[in-house]
Amino acid sequence: MWMQALPRPCFPTDDMIRTRQQSLIYRAAKRLPGHLPWQSAPALYRLTHPETKASVKQLIKVFGEHFPDASPQMVHQWAQQHIDLQAWELMDTMMLAQVGNPRRVALEVAGIEPLRRAVGTGQGIILIFNHVDRILGGGLAIARAGVPFHSLTMEIDDNAGLSSSEKAYLTHKVSTFQRLSGGMALRRNASMKRIYAGLATGEVWSILADAWHPSAKGKRAHNFLGRSLHLATGIERIATATGARMFQVTPFTRAPGLLEVQVRMLDTDPETAVNQAIQNLAADISERPWAWWNWGLIDVMSEQRKNSPLKDRKKCHI
């Protein structure tokens, strides 16, 4: 699955349903035909999530700091697109079984054949995802293309930072995705022996490369948009120990009802492969800053490089 066990990020808006009123409204929207649930999602989201205005202001500030050459109009557009993304991801969650139905949300996958061939060899596979675009749809595209997989996911029941309604929502999200992806969901606080054993016998596992792990014992710095992004080295350690190959999966929203998914085969050397994945992420985010979910965490995940044009800013109170 795709969620980190995070304290509150800088931005108050996210892809959650927290109230009974929100739940009733979105259940009603599910009854709309065709692409209409997703086409109406941005307006519906702004109506049901009043904190959106504050989130837009913060996004405008962050985008302006990280992309000083962008025009004010472009920065404002990116902020609004990020809110649209949250709305589409929420609707994807509410109608997950319909993602992949061309009359609802069509999925188009490029680069799947090398992944299929690798799976056919019996070698373990790690699918590297990032917090980019409609992550659920990207995962479902792989499963619906004939490659079921297991997932490393967040802690829910024992997460003191989540309310009872949030736990219920996330539990439904994880369990539904688990059923549709054809694999199991292993909590991040569980023993990793299951992943090692599975990869050693040819299983496919998905792991987020840009997840924030504050307590991770091993971290490595990656150049990222003028900063050094400090990420846990768990993926490369697992790949080294199991001999697993790595592929990167990136979704691109082309329309509310159309998601393109790109599968990239990465280097056979685990450290080089992770480097490639983060470089690809940086390149993708440079072209569409609105599509990255982790802007609210970038300060705690990175430290500014000396030659960075970015100005110092206060860390988020997370």
Side-chain angles (χ1 to χ4, degrees):
M1 194 50 183
W2 322 117
M3 298 161 293
Q4 318 177 53
L6 298 176
R8 289 287 182 265
C10 295
F11 310 135
T13 313
D14 58 11
D15 63 323
M16 282 257 200
I17 287 181
R18 292 193 170 89
T19 68
R20 185 172 184 273
Q21 182 185 36
Q22 289 173 339
S23 179
L24 291 173
I25 290 173
Y26 278 89
R27 289 181 186 278
K30 289 170 60 176
R31 302 189 183 100
L32 294 172
H35 302 307
L36 283 178
W38 289 269
Q39 291 171 344
S40 63
L44 188 61
Y45 187 90
R46 287 168 172 81
L47 176 66
T48 58
H49 291 71
E51 68 276 16
T52 297
K53 290 183 179 180
S55 187
V56 167
K57 290 181 181 179
Q58 293 175 356
L59 285 163
I60 288 173
K61 179 182 178 182
V62 172
F63 288 149
E65 291 174 349
H66 284 76
F67 301 94
D69 294 333
S71 68
Q73 294 80 8
M74 181 59 70
V75 167
H76 185 269
Q77 179 179 320
W78 289 338
Q80 295 295 341
Q81 286 177 298
H82 187 78
I83 301 302
D84 292 346
L85 171 62
Q86 293 175 332
W88 292 325
E89 181 79 354
L90 177 51
M91 193 60 72
D92 287 347
T93 300
M94 296 298 294
M95 304 183 66
L96 206 51
Q98 296 296 313
V99 175
N101 179 344
R103 293 176 296 178
R104 295 295 205 168
V105 177
L107 300 173
E108 297 181 357
V109 186
I112 192 68
E113 287 306 323
L115 174 58
R116 284 174 173 157
R117 288 195 294 269
V119 171
T121 66
Q123 185 177 16
I125 303 292
I126 296 175
L127 300 178
I128 290 185
F129 285 82
N130 297 111
H131 287 88
V132 173
D133 212 302
R134 292 154 73 177
I135 315 173
L136 293 170
L140 286 184
I142 300 303
R144 295 191 188 282
V147 182
F149 59 91
H150 308 291
S151 303
L152 182 63
T153 187
M154 70 180 292
E155 308 87 348
I156 299 177
D157 292 338
D158 54 354
N159 188 337
L162 296 173
S163 68
S164 58
S165 61
E166 290 170 339
K167 288 180 179 180
Y169 173 79
L170 292 173
T171 297
H172 168 75
K173 185 175 184 177
V174 170
S175 62
T176 303
F177 184 85
Q178 176 185 347
R179 174 173 56 84
L180 295 174
S181 63
M184 66 172 290
L186 182 70
R187 300 291 186 261
R188 204 174 63 181
N189 60 352
S191 171
M192 294 294 103
K193 292 181 180 179
R194 178 64 183 82
I195 295 181
Y196 282 88
L199 289 171
T201 58
E203 290 182 350
V204 182
W205 281 82
S206 69
I207 306 178
L208 283 160
D210 62 343
W212 180 51
H213 297 283
S215 60
K217 295 180 180 179
K219 292 184 181 181
R220 189 161 60 84
H222 300 263
N223 292 335
F224 186 81
L225 302 178
R227 294 191 174 207
S228 292
L229 203 64
H230 294 265
L231 300 174
T233 56
I235 295 177
E236 53 210 73
R237 293 200 309 269
I238 292 172
T240 299
T242 62
R245 283 300 311 269
M246 285 188 268
F247 290 78
Q248 185 172 15
V249 181
T250 308
F252 297 82
T253 294
R254 301 307 186 194
L258 175 60
L259 194 65
E260 293 182 5
V261 179
Q262 182 178 23
V263 182
R264 299 170 172 133
M265 183 167 58
L266 301 173
D267 196 89
T268 55
D269 174 70
E271 184 172 320
T272 302
V274 173
N275 289 342
Q276 289 176 337
I278 301 305
Q279 290 166 6
N280 291 338
L281 171 64
D284 290 340
I285 299 310
S286 294
E287 294 183 2
R288 48 190 191 124
W290 58 270
W292 197 43
W293 291 85
N294 276 1
W295 285 113
L297 294 168
I298 191 169
D299 281 337
V300 296
M301 295 174 67
S302 66
E303 58 185 31
Q304 194 168 323
R305 293 167 57 190
K306 293 181 179 180
N307 62 347
S308 170
L310 305 179
K311 296 180 180 180
D312 290 330
R313 73 186 188 96
K314 294 181 180 179
K315 291 185 181 295
C316 305
H317 297 289
I318 323 185

